[in-house]
């Protein structure tokens, strides 16, 4: 089931046996007290490192970062090809995320509900922006170039968390930016 454990506050550790070969996209959404995934080493599809759930060793996807890991900073390896939708959702302690490669694809709402998240850095970003949908539900982030290293792209929290705190020109820019990335959306809006 794609929502198997959704919003279960009692789960702290998930042990995944070798026989599990499918986990639904939203299976662990809202498991706010989870601290670790432990995957059997013989599992052909999934694996865990430092309590984090991954899929596919050849083309790794970071599936889920447990919401209650007490790390305040994490670095996503350049080997990670994708960060799944809602992967860092509701992380209680996470303040800083560094992504080593601008080639890493970010799903939608990756950082949703990360209330204390302050900085996301793309270490080889070359000034590039990323999928703005990755920030859906996260603290409002602003794209900045790192003044010390032009190859680092940073997104910093601007403490504006509600649309009503935005000026009309900011809302128009958000809309225009959205339309650029979603050409067919203009037909439906």
């Amino acid at each position: 089931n794609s929502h198997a454990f959704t919003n279960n506050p009692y789960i702290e550790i998930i042990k995944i046996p070798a026989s599990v070969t499918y986990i639904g996209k939203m299976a662990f959404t809202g498991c706010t007290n989870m601290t670790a995934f432990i995957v059997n080493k013989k599992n052909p599809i999934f694996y865990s490192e430092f309590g984090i759930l991954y899929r596919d060793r050849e083309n790794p996807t970071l599936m889920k970062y447990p919401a209650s890991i007490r790390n305040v900073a994490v670095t996503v390896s350049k080997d990670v090809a994708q960060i799944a939708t809602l992967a860092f959702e509701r992380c209680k302690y996470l303040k800083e995320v560094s992504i080593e490669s601008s080639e890493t694809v970010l799903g939608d709402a990756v950082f949703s509900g990360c209330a204390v998240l302050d900085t996301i850095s793309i270490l080889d970003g070359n000034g590039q922006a990323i999928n703005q949908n990755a920030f859906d539900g996260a603290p409002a982030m602003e794209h900045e170039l790192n003044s010390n290293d032009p190859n680092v792209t940073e997104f910093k929290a601007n403490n504006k968390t509600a649309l009503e705190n935005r000026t009309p020109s900011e809302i128009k820019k958000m809309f225009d930016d959205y339309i650029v990335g979603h050409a067919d959306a203009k037909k439906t809006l």
Side-chain angles (χ1 to χ4, degrees):
N1 185 327
S2 65
H3 296 279
F5 302 101
T6 298
N7 295 322
N8 187 327
Y10 304 106
I11 296 174
E12 292 182 13
I13 297 173
I14 290 280
K15 294 182 179 180
I16 300 172
S19 60
V20 172
T21 58
Y22 174 79
I23 296 174
K25 288 181 181 182
M26 310 281 275
F28 304 108
T29 300
C31 294
T32 56
N33 291 314
M34 188 175 302
T35 58
F37 287 94
I38 301 170
V39 180
N40 183 297
K41 298 220 183 281
K42 293 181 181 177
N43 189 299
I45 307 292
F46 301 100
Y47 65 101
S48 60
E49 291 180 353
F50 305 107
I52 303 165
L53 179 64
Y54 295 89
R55 179 185 66 223
D56 188 1
R57 289 184 188 276
E58 297 298 316
N59 196 25
T61 295
L62 190 156
M63 296 286 296
K64 190 68 175 167
Y65 186 93
S68 285
I69 287 182
R70 292 195 177 267
N71 296 339
V72 295
V74 66
T75 298
V76 177
S77 165
K78 66 178 184 260
D79 299 328
V80 173
Q82 181 174 351
I83 300 174
T85 295
L86 295 169
F88 288 96
E89 171 250 353
R90 296 189 198 175
C91 286
K92 297 176 184 181
Y93 307 102
L94 195 59
K95 293 182 77 158
E96 185 177 320
V97 177
S98 296
I99 301 169
E100 289 186 342
S101 173
S102 61
E103 300 296 317
T104 299
V105 176
L106 276 69
D108 291 340
V110 170
F111 306 105
S112 178
C114 294
V116 298
L117 185 61
D118 181 61
T119 304
I120 300 166
S121 299
I122 302 171
L123 302 181
D124 77 344
N126 300 317
Q128 299 177 51
I130 62 170
N131 170 14
Q132 288 298 305
N133 293 340
F135 300 128
D136 288 353
M141 294 284 182
E142 302 228 345
H143 178 233
E144 296 180 6
L145 292 180
N146 184 309
S147 58
N148 297 323
D149 185 346
N151 292 321
V152 175
T153 300
E154 289 186 336
F155 296 85
K156 296 269 191 187
N158 68 9
N159 298 321
K160 292 181 183 177
T161 57
L163 194 58
E164 45 278 350
N165 288 338
R166 305 261 185 190
T167 66
S169 62
E170 287 176 311
I171 293 170
K172 182 182 181 323
K173 182 176 180 342
M174 289 169 58
F175 177 77
D176 291 345
D177 289 348
Y178 178 84
I179 292 301
V180 168
H182 300 81
D184 52 334
K186 200 172 205 173
K187 298 173 193 165
T188 61
L189 292 175

